[in-house]
Structures are given as structure tokens and as C-alpha cells.
Amino acid sequence: MTNMTCVAGGNDDFQLVTHLTVTGSQFEIGRVLTEEARRLGWSPRAADPAVNRARMSWFERNWPQHHARLDGAAAALGLDPDQDDLALDGWNRVPEGSACSGLWCPPSASADGHGRVGRNYDFFVSTASEIRGRQPRPDELPMGARPYVITTVPDDGLASTVITMDDLDGCMDGMNEAGLTVMLLLADVENAAPPAHTAPQVGLGSTQLPRFLLDTCETAAQAKQALLAAKQYDHGLLLHYLVADAHGQAFVWERGRDGSEHAVEFGDGPLCVTNHLLHRHPDPTDLPADTTPSLGTYGRLRTLYERSKGVTLSGLDLRDLLRAVRPDEDPGAPFRTLWTTVFDTADRTLATRFYLGDGRDYSEELVFPASAR
């Protein structure tokens, strides 16, 4: 079963948000998502046959849910699922220069005992052409203008709800029916540069990683083991991931510039993350001063830490904190918070407000269940 509705914004707003719900087998989910991607203008990319064959084998062994969805993609495209010269999944566009903020509030620091994760998804309000230094194409929309909320309810796996800009087989953040929550943020904004190569590699691309965890894990401990065992690639643009569960556990997963892997934890207190590598700056009270290239990452983390340290936060308090680190609507600033989400790991819900344009209020807060079962 498939249901698609517009849930926020309109043609006169910056964003028009679509909620797509798909139930059925993983094959059917893959077929529906591929058909929607084709409607948006996507087509499969040429791939190195040896690499693509290895990719499919890796998915079959380590991420069978995605492998089954790719069979559905092949059916939607009228292709042989065993062909090797086309990549049937997304090209894993990653946010080049986004400046997001996230905060995990564990049950012990919550007014009602609910663990919550809050996040601002900050991104350019430009087209992809403009971001790359070119003139926009006729009728080209800004990259973040048409986000999707996607709820998948498979017959044979974990249901989840995710939010994504335009990569329908990946996501920027989401939650599954077990309460596991995952979100991505740029990890080293001061040294960020567009990737030189974006061809799919073997393993998990940057926007696939959150969905991989939501498909395969129920707890933070399981997610940590899955990440340690997984093959990952980021095309040189470092991201990190805030992972939290319904049992009060959370960590930030990041890789260093040398490829080393780190699971950063902060005990039984709030865990703040913005856009610098936490393993290089583990003390939130001893951060460098911000510079133009840092896009306020240190100041935003300082604000989140100072206002959450040693206090009990309600859901409203968390929303106020996110508002405090939201970029101003400065005409000269390239970023806006495209959406703000509070994930409630106890209720298994995502409560989100979407950006409608400068001088306009955000959308009303929309509450999505992690599962539509």
C-alpha cells in the first residue's frame, strides 16, 4: 500500500513537503521509491562493473533489506537485477557545507523521563548549480525546496520514518519503531570541500548510513557494533552521526582525517554535537574561538552545552534551545534551518517544523510516528 500527501508548505513557499508511506515487502518498497525518484528526474548511473558487483555482494551479506529493495528498483526500471554496469540506488549526495546542530537529552535529564534528540538541519537556500558556482538552470529549484518524510513499513523488518532532502534511498535523520534515532551532521566544517569524485563505492555512502542503522539495529549498542563492522565511504567530506536509543544510550560516530573511527560518549548527561570533530575537541568548556570558516560551530556547541548542563529539560526547553542556535534570516547568509525536529524515543515520534521562507513563520509542528503499523 502506498500513500502520498503534501503535509507542509505550498508552491508559494520555500518548501513543499511530501509525506510518502509505503507498506509491503522490501521489494515493493524499493519499487515504489524508485518510481517516485524517476518521476523527480532520477536515472541510474553508469558504474564500474567490478565495483558494482562487489557493492551488491556487500549489500546482500550486510544489508539484505537494501539488497531486496534494489531488486524492486530493477523491476521498476525494467532491468535485470544482476546487471553490473548501472548503480540502481542513489548517488548519495551529501550536504556540502551544512551547519547543523543536535542535542541528546537522556531520560535522566528530561522533565518527564523521555529521552529526546533535537536537531536543526541547516542547509543552503541555493540551487545545486549556484552552490557549484554556476548559473541556475531554468526552473531549477533550491536543493532543499522539496524534502520528503518517508515512512516505510516492511513485512519483514523494522518500520521507520525518515526525513530526506532528495535522496529517497538515504536520509538526513530518522527513527525506527524500536526508538533508535540517527542523524547526520557535517563533522569538519573548517576543512570542508566538495568531493572530487562521487561514484558509488563498496559499503555505505554518507546518506545511506543512517538508513542502514534504522533497518538493522534496535539499540545504540547494536548500532555501534554495526558501524565498527561496516565498510563506509564519504568521498572525503567528513560527516558524523548522532545515534540514540529508547534505553537512554547515545553516542556520536565519527571518523578522523586519518580514517580512524571514534564513538564519542558523554556519560549520563546531554550530548551536544555541531560541526567539528568531537574527538579532537572533547571538552565543551575548552573550545577555540569561531572564525569565518567555522560557521559558528564552537559557539553553537557552547550554547547548547551551557544551557543543558545540570538542568532538567522539558520538550519545550529543548525546542527553545534549538531556536537559540538557529541561523538568523540574514539576506547575506547562505544557510537557513530547513527543518527542526524533536525525536521522542519513548513515544517513538518525530515532531518537525519546516522552513517556509524568510519573513514567514515555520510550518506548524507536524508529528509523525516512527511506524504506521
Side-chain angles (χ1 to χ4, degrees), residues 94-340:
V94 291
E96 300 167 5
S98 59
C100 306
S101 304
L103 173 65
W104 159 244
C105 178
S108 59
S110 172
D112 58 3
H114 287 211
R116 292 185 177 87
V117 188
R119 84 101 98 234
N120 288 339
Y121 182 74
D122 301 342
F123 196 72
F124 293 103
V125 289
S126 312
T127 65
S129 296
E130 289 170 312
I131 291 171
R132 293 175 174 87
R134 301 193 295 261
Q135 289 296 314
R137 301 185 307 272
D139 301 323
E140 183 180 5
L141 293 170
M143 285 182 68
R146 296 294 182 264
Y148 277 72
V149 180
I150 302 176
T151 300
T152 51
V153 188
D155 299 335
D156 52 350
L158 290 163
S160 63
T161 295
V162 305
I163 307 177
T164 184
M165 279 201 327
D166 55 3
D167 190 347
L168 300 190
D169 68 339
C171 68
M172 280 67 229
D173 43 48
M175 172 186 280
N176 69 19
E177 62 182 308
L180 186 75
T181 302
V182 188
M183 61 190 61
L184 64 77
L185 304 91
L186 190 66
D188 190 13
V189 68
E190 292 175 285
N191 296 290
H197 306 285
T198 58
Q201 302 297 311
V202 179
L204 300 170
S206 297
T207 63
Q208 289 179 327
L209 188 150
R211 197 185 279 269
F212 164 75
L213 294 181
L214 297 174
D215 279 348
T216 62
C217 302
E218 298 186 18
T219 67
Q222 291 175 2
K224 192 182 301 181
Q225 287 298 303
L227 289 169
L228 288 167
K231 185 175 173 63
Q232 304 161 50
Y233 63 95
D234 54 26
H235 298 302
L237 185 66
L238 297 182
L239 278 77
H240 49 195
Y241 303 83
L242 176 54
V243 181
D245 67 21
H247 307 284
Q249 302 302 308
F251 65 94
V252 172
W253 178 260
E254 61 186 29
R255 291 192 295 163
R257 298 168 191 163
D258 59 356
S260 57
E261 298 175 323
H262 303 268
V264 180
E265 299 171 278
F266 208 70
D268 189 30
L271 176 57
C272 311
V273 58
T274 50
N275 306 116
H276 56 272
L277 291 165
L278 296 185
H279 74 274
R280 293 177 63 89
H281 299 283
D283 185 354
T285 66
D286 185 25
L287 295 172
D290 276 306
T291 61
T292 299
S294 72
L295 297 179
T297 179
Y298 304 116
R300 284 182 282 115
L301 192 136
R302 228 179 260 115
T303 297
L304 292 173
Y305 175 75
E306 290 172 355
R307 296 194 188 184
S308 63
K309 180 185 177 182
V311 300
T312 299
L313 295 175
S314 67
L316 288 176
D317 294 330
L318 183 53
R319 288 163 172 82
D320 287 341
L321 258 177
L322 293 171
R323 194 174 298 113
V325 294
R326 195 166 73 193
D328 293 331
E329 292 185 352
D330 180 351
F335 300 111
R336 297 293 185 270
T337 294
L338 298 191
W339 62 78
T340 295

